[in-house]
Amino acid sequence: MNFIEMDDPDIWTAISAEQARQQDGLEMIASENFTSPAVMQAVGSVLTNKYAEGYPGHRYYGGCEFVDKVEEIARNRAAALFGAEHVNVQPHSGSQANSAVYLTAIQPGDTVLAFDLSHGGHLTHGMKLNSSGILYRFVHYGVRRDNHLLDFDQVAKLAREHKPKLIVAGASAYPREIQHSRFAEIAREVGAKLMVDMAHYAGLVAAGIHDNPVPVADFVTSTTHKTLRGPRGGIAMCRAENSKSLDRSVFPGTQGGPLMHVIAGKAVAFGEALRPEFKLYAMKVVDNARALASALASGGVKLVSGGTDNHLMLVDVTPLGIGGKLAEEVLDQCGITCNKNMIPYDERKPMDPSGIRLGTPALTTRGMGTDEMSSIATWILRVLKSPQSRSTIDATKREVCELAEQYPVPAAKLEAVER
Ligand SMILES: *Cc1c(COP(=O)(O)O)cnc(C)c1O
């Protein structure tokens, strides 16, 4: 029985359409994934009814004995997963986790050194309309023009020149592994604290196949819904000595009551990520990204940095005579979802940049492998080379549907139970 269907047909119609969209298309947005049915059930549980301001054992509300258990399990699992001394699992999102660290580590007006948004950084790393950019003085480093790799000489030079209180590492659109210890050395030299925002690649870190920032950073933040494959949310980690101030910055510093249903979903996802199957999953995500990248590169597009060693790639589509906006639109018409993206030193505008960003976490969760990646690369190249051809788009859409049908999304299992 479905209560939404009975009580609220308008919302149910939209949810069903979204469910069909997820099942029938190929999700290649690098920041998206499919959570397990268990995670979805946790997020849809009675815990959404509970107020629990405070932390386990120290709440401002009664009746918290069971949600305390949930939050303790979530904290302990995340600590085990990343080797962290202290974890706060309450941030409602990755952005909230970052705000809480800024509130802990720096004062308004302080200088922060972070990755340029147009080279792959994030809004919360000092974009002028974001509270980070409004409250603090951000200076940005980028990637090298010749090889698109992080320019550590520039990071060191800017750090010496501007003497930031905080250095921020981590990215939303950087296709290579980040060597966090290089940031830590520079931070130590200039007396700055180091925050690593591993929102995108936390799942690869959890699996042990990407450099773990926790041992070298003062603060580590993440989302839980990207490669980590949990519910939409955030976490923030630090050493024991900063635990009280970080906790205070999350609540009451930036948030009120925690979303206990989401924290339960996080706990379930961390439990899944601790199992050996998750390591296999993460390895396949990277194998798939490599296979997709090499097939695309041999078909006439350029890849930022020449390839990838994580879950995503930035594809410069301008060699095909089109821009990122049109590329996103025609792929969408074929059922392939991705996003237009600036490439480093882009000469085009953010609303119609030179590139698209493609990721493999969601398709890998559905069980697709390198053979499917090479078919998908063929389809992508075909439509991007004939973006005006209705027949090419229609034929590709049919092939996309046939492939999608063979790989049910995890939510299909939940739906089967509900019927
Ligand atoms: C996605 C992302 C965030 C923000 O996460 P939200 O949950 O959308 O607020 C922060 N930092 C980086 C690097 C990200 O990629």
Side-chain angles (χ1 to χ4, degrees):
M1 182 147 51
N2 187 308
F3 289 93
I4 312 175
E5 193 170 6
M6 290 190 310
D7 290 355
D8 198 331
D10 292 344
I11 288 297
W12 181 247
T13 302
I15 293 176
S16 311
E18 172 61 14
Q19 159 105 27
R21 190 193 67 82
Q22 292 186 13
Q23 171 59 51
D24 299 342
L26 298 178
E27 185 51 72
M28 302 193 76
I29 295 177
S31 48
E32 293 192 12
N33 212 328
F34 298 107
T35 62
S36 67
V39 168
M40 278 189 282
Q41 281 186 327
V43 175
S45 73
V46 295
L47 301 193
T48 195
N49 299 329
K50 189 72 196 97
Y51 242 115
E53 281 180 353
Y55 291 99
H58 308 274
R59 303 283 192 186
Y60 290 82
Y61 289 82
C64 286
E65 59 269 41
F66 305 116
V67 294
D68 276 6
K69 286 255 158 16
V70 168
E71 187 165 348
E72 270 163 14
I73 292 170
R75 288 201 295 206
N76 292 338
R77 286 182 185 166
L81 206 48
F82 298 110
E85 287 178 13
H86 179 72
V87 188
N88 188 306
V89 294
Q90 293 193 4
H92 299 336
S93 68
S95 300
Q96 295 282 87
N98 289 350
S99 299
V101 169
Y102 296 146
L103 192 63
T104 310
I106 50 178
Q107 299 290 322
D110 278 353
T111 300
V112 185
L113 179 59
F115 194 28
D116 196 319
L117 180 61
S118 70
H119 286 207
H122 189 259
L123 295 174
T124 56
H125 300 179
M127 191 255 202
K128 69 178 198 296
L129 300 176
N130 184 262
S131 65
S132 58
I134 294 168
L135 293 172
Y136 311 104
R137 182 180 161 265
F138 271 81
V139 177
H140 290 107
Y141 57 85
V143 296
R144 289 166 56 106
R145 207 180 256 279
D146 56 353
N147 58 13
H148 299 146
L149 300 182
L150 281 168
D151 188 347
F152 284 102
D153 294 336
Q154 188 197 26
V155 178
K157 183 168 162 286
L158 290 171
R160 288 174 197 135
E161 184 182 332
H162 293 277
K163 296 268 178 295
K165 289 272 166 40
L166 181 70
I167 295 179
V168 180
S172 305
Y174 184 67
R176 297 295 178 175
E177 184 168 5
I178 297 177
Q179 299 302 332
H180 303 106
S181 58
R182 302 196 62 185
F183 283 101
E185 279 161 28
I186 296 168
R188 209 174 308 123
E189 183 199 316
V190 301
K193 292 185 187 110
L194 176 63
M195 162 180 149
V196 176
D197 176 354
M198 61 171 181
H200 254 267
Y201 50 91
L204 307 184
V205 173
I209 62 169
H210 187 295
D211 185 51
N212 184 357
V214 169
V216 300
D218 298 285
F219 300 94
V220 176
T221 58
S222 183
T223 57
T224 46
H225 49 273
K226 297 179 183 174
T227 50
L228 196 48
R229 211 163 65 174
R232 195 154 288 281
I235 51 171
M237 298 180 271
C238 65
R239 286 192 269 277
E241 73 219 47
N242 293 318
S243 62
K244 288 241 158 43
S245 52
L246 179 64
D247 283 353
R248 229 179 302 143
S249 296
V250 174
F251 170 84
T254 51
Q255 296 184 173
L259 311 176
M260 292 314 307
H261 56 307
V262 179
I263 291 173
K266 290 173 186 173
V268 173
F270 299 150
E272 291 171 359
L274 282 164
R275 294 187 202 133
E277 300 91 286
F278 191 81
K279 188 183 170 84
L280 289 177
Y281 162 68
M283 287 164 56
K284 285 185 194 151
V285 166
V286 175
D287 287 347
N288 282 343
R290 287 222 180 89
L292 183 68
S294 72
L296 289 171
S298 55
V301 291
K302 274 195 289 192
L303 296 183
V304 169
S305 84
T308 176
D309 34 48
N310 59 24
H311 61 295
L312 69 83
M313 66 213 68
L314 280 174
V315 184
D316 179 355
V317 295
T318 58
L320 304 178
I322 62 170
K325 181 169 183 276
L326 180 62
E328 180 194 296
E329 280 165 13
V330 289
L331 289 174
D332 202 37
Q333 286 172 33
C334 303
I336 296 173
T337 315
C338 70
N339 62 283
K340 57 181 175 291
N341 216 100
M342 296 280 273
I343 62 168
Y345 304 100
D346 208 330
E347 280 162 13
R348 300 172 63 107
K349 306 234 148 46
M351 288 316 289
D352 187 12
S354 297
I356 54 173
R357 187 184 65 164
L358 295 173
T360 54
L363 297 184
T364 308
T365 294
R366 289 178 80 164
M368 293 181 198
T370 52
D371 289 346
E372 287 73 31
M373 295 307 122
S374 71
S375 308
I376 294 167
T378 307
W379 301 336
I380 290 175
L381 290 163
R382 191 167 73 193
V383 292
L384 294 188
K385 285 174 183 170
S386 320
Q388 314 297 351
S389 162
R390 196 68 251 167
S391 61
T392 304
I393 292 172
D394 290 343
T396 306
K397 192 176 169 58
R398 275 194 299 277
E399 288 186 282
V400 163
C401 270
E402 276 167 30
L403 176 66
E405 211 176 343
Q406 294 165 46
Y407 293 92
V409 294
K413 283 191 198 152
L414 255 191
E415 202 188 23
V417 173
E418 278 165 3
R419 298 250 158 231

